[in-house]
């Protein structure tokens, strides 16, 4: 019952959250001293052409009128047309969403696969040389800038060693599109060549996103294990003579992962934000590159559309994390 109330409360806050995002992004877009009409028409446009286009796009109206029109279009399901691509913004975002989802989900899987075991090991070997090394590495991982790490991995693995592609998403035409996720579609198509190509292309951008995220997961997993390992119920399991490995992975880890699972939801938002930079560096055809192109073109409607889609995606992921949290936490809702 409490779980259902939690879900309903999150859904109730969805609309005001999205509305707040639209207002903030709209105001920021209009503060930037760049005229999207001049960017669209180019330097050779006459004042009459600029004024006519401004009227056509509605930029001659007061800000509150433009904002009201934006809200009306959004509620109607119309995000407008992109100045950059001259196509419906929803169509552009829908085309690019699978690429961003595949990159982000792969990065989360890699970060969890690295972070949780290393966090457990660090806690079990507390104050040992291995623990100190893992703590230094995790702190260093948090301090690494995404664009610098992306360029470093590109230079070393793609340009020097030649073991990974420099950019793009896949070689050739790829598998038959079903989900839009190249890795899954390649497996569904049983196309091993496309699967190998998709994995090799996603390796460097996913690793760029995953390493800082894994550092966060290591720290929170370590702290969670240390909090639980000396609790009464764990001492009881030890007194019962259960194997140490069973105690750690079955009894300690479930309680220790409560804060880690919460952090994964927050990490998803950070990964999507960093994906804007990483996709640009690796020429990954996702929503991040679309956002950068929209910003450079001062395409206000496209920027707002991107913000709405990303905001909705983060809200949904955090809702799923809260539901997972309620199942993991033994004190969760019933």
């Amino acid at each position: 019952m409490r779980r259902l109330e939690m879900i309903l409360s999150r859904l109730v806050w969805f609309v005001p959250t999205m509305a707040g995002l639209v207002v903030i992004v709209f105001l920021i877009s209009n503060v930037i001293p760049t005229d999207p009409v001049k960017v669209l028409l180019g330097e050779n446009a006459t004042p009459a052409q600029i004024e006519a286009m401004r009227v056509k796009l509605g930029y001659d109206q007061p800000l509150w009128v433009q904002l009201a029109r934006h809200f009306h279009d959004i509620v109607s399901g119309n995000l407008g047309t992109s100045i950059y691509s001259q196509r419906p913004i929803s169509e552009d975002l829908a085309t690019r969403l699978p690429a961003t989802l595949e990159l982000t989900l792969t990065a989360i899987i890699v970060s969890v696969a690295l972070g949780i075991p290393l966090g457990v090991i660090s806690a079990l070997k507390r104050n040992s040389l291995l623990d100190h090394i893992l703590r230094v590495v995790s702190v260093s991982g948090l301090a690494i800038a995404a664009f610098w790490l992306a360029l470093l991995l590109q230079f070393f693995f793609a340009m020097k060693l030649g073991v990974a592609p420099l950019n793009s998403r896949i070689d050739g035409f790829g598998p038959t599109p079903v989900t839009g996720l190249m890795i899954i579609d390649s497996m569904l198509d049983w196309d091993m060549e496309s699967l190998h190509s998709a994995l090799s292309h996603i390796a460097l951008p996913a690793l760029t996103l995953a390493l800082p995220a894994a550092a966060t997961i290591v720290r929170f997993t370590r702290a969670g294990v240390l909090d639980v390992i000396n609790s009464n119920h764990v001492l009881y399991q030890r007194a019962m003579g259960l194997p140490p490995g069973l105690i750690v992975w079955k009894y300690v880890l479930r309680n220790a992962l409560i804060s880690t699972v919460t952090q994964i939801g927050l990490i998803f938002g950070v990964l999507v934000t960093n994906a804007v930079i990483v996709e640009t560096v690796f020429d990954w055809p996702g929503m991040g590159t679309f956002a950068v192109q929209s910003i450079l073109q001062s395409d206000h409607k496209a920027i707002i559309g991107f913000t709405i889609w990303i905001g909705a995606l983060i809200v949904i992921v955090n809702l799923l994390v809260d539901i997972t949290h309620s199942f993991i936490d033994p004190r969760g809702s019933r």
Side-chain angles (χ1 to χ4, degrees):
M1 189 65 182
R2 290 171 55 189
R3 186 177 296 119
L4 179 60
E5 293 176 358
M6 179 267 294
I7 294 174
L8 291 176
S9 66
R10 296 293 191 277
L11 294 177
V12 167
W13 278 102
F14 179 80
V15 174
T17 300
M18 292 296 102
L21 280 174
V22 171
V23 172
I24 292 173
V25 175
F26 176 82
L27 294 177
I28 292 177
S29 299
N30 282 275
V31 167
I32 299 174
T34 303
D35 190 343
V37 176
K38 292 182 179 179
V39 174
L40 174 63
L41 296 179
E43 298 179 355
N44 297 324
T46 64
Q49 291 174 326
I50 293 174
E51 186 60 28
M53 182 59 69
R54 183 173 284 110
V55 172
K56 179 181 178 181
L57 297 177
Y59 290 132
D60 62 321
Q61 300 292 327
L63 285 181
W64 68 269
V65 174
Q66 296 182 41
L67 180 59
R69 187 188 298 114
H70 276 307
F71 274 116
H72 178 270
D73 292 342
I74 291 169
V75 173
S76 303
N78 177 25
L79 296 179
T81 301
S82 170
I83 294 177
Y84 173 76
S85 66
Q86 294 298 310
R87 297 194 306 173
I89 295 171
S90 297
E91 182 180 325
D92 279 340
L93 291 172
T95 302
R96 294 169 177 267
L97 176 61
T100 297
L101 276 180
E102 184 173 44
L103 177 58
T104 306
L105 292 177
T106 303
I108 289 179
I109 293 172
V110 172
S111 62
V112 170
L114 289 175
I116 291 179
L118 291 178
V120 173
I121 293 172
S122 181
L124 296 179
K125 302 293 184 180
R126 183 182 183 183
N127 293 329
S128 66
L129 177 60
L130 179 60
D131 179 34
H132 290 310
I133 293 174
L134 289 175
R135 289 165 67 184
V136 170
V137 171
S138 63
V139 172
S140 302
L142 295 174
I144 295 177
F147 75 92
W148 181 83
L149 180 60
L151 294 174
L152 186 66
L153 292 177
Q154 267 190 338
F155 175 76
F156 187 71
F157 289 102
M159 300 176 68
K160 286 295 184 181
L161 298 181
V163 296
L166 187 62
N167 51 29
S168 75
R169 195 179 176 195
I170 198 170
D171 293 326
F173 295 102
T176 303
V178 178
T179 64
L181 309 179
M182 291 294 181
I183 296 174
I184 295 179
D185 288 347
S186 297
M187 290 189 290
L188 292 176
D189 220 13
W190 204 247
D191 186 348
M192 295 301 104
E193 183 178 350
S194 294
L195 178 61
H196 178 269
S197 178
L199 290 173
S200 62
H201 279 80
I202 203 173
L204 293 185
L207 193 61
T208 303
L209 291 175
L211 290 181
T216 301
I217 293 176
V218 167
R219 296 189 65 191
F220 277 89
T221 302
R222 179 183 184 277
V225 170
L226 291 177
D227 287 339
V228 175
I229 202 166
N230 293 319
S231 60
N232 291 333
H233 76 278
V234 174
L235 294 177
Y236 172 76
Q237 300 297 337
R238 286 177 174 174
M240 292 288 292
L242 294 179
L246 178 64
I247 294 174
V248 170
W249 296 106
K250 184 175 182 180
Y251 298 100
V252 173
L253 197 56
R254 176 178 178 179
N255 295 301
L257 287 182
I258 293 173
S259 60
T260 303
V261 169
T262 303
Q263 284 300 312
I264 291 174
L266 299 175
I267 286 171
F268 181 85
V270 175
L271 291 180
V272 171
T273 303
N274 288 339
V276 174
I277 300 172
V278 174
E279 287 182 6
T280 303
V281 174
F282 286 95
D283 194 23
W284 189 264
M287 293 198 298
T289 53
F290 177 79
V292 171
Q293 292 163 357
S294 301
I295 292 171
L296 294 177
Q297 295 289 328
S298 298
D299 193 345
H300 298 171
K301 288 186 177 181
I303 296 171
I304 292 175
F306 167 79
T307 304
I308 292 173
W309 276 55
I310 292 298
L313 191 60
I314 292 176
V315 170
I316 292 171
V317 168
N318 278 279
L319 175 60
L320 295 176
V321 167
D322 288 340
I323 295 173
T324 305
H325 185 283
S326 69
F327 280 105
I328 293 177
D329 191 347
R331 299 162 298 179
S333 56
R334 290 179 174 84

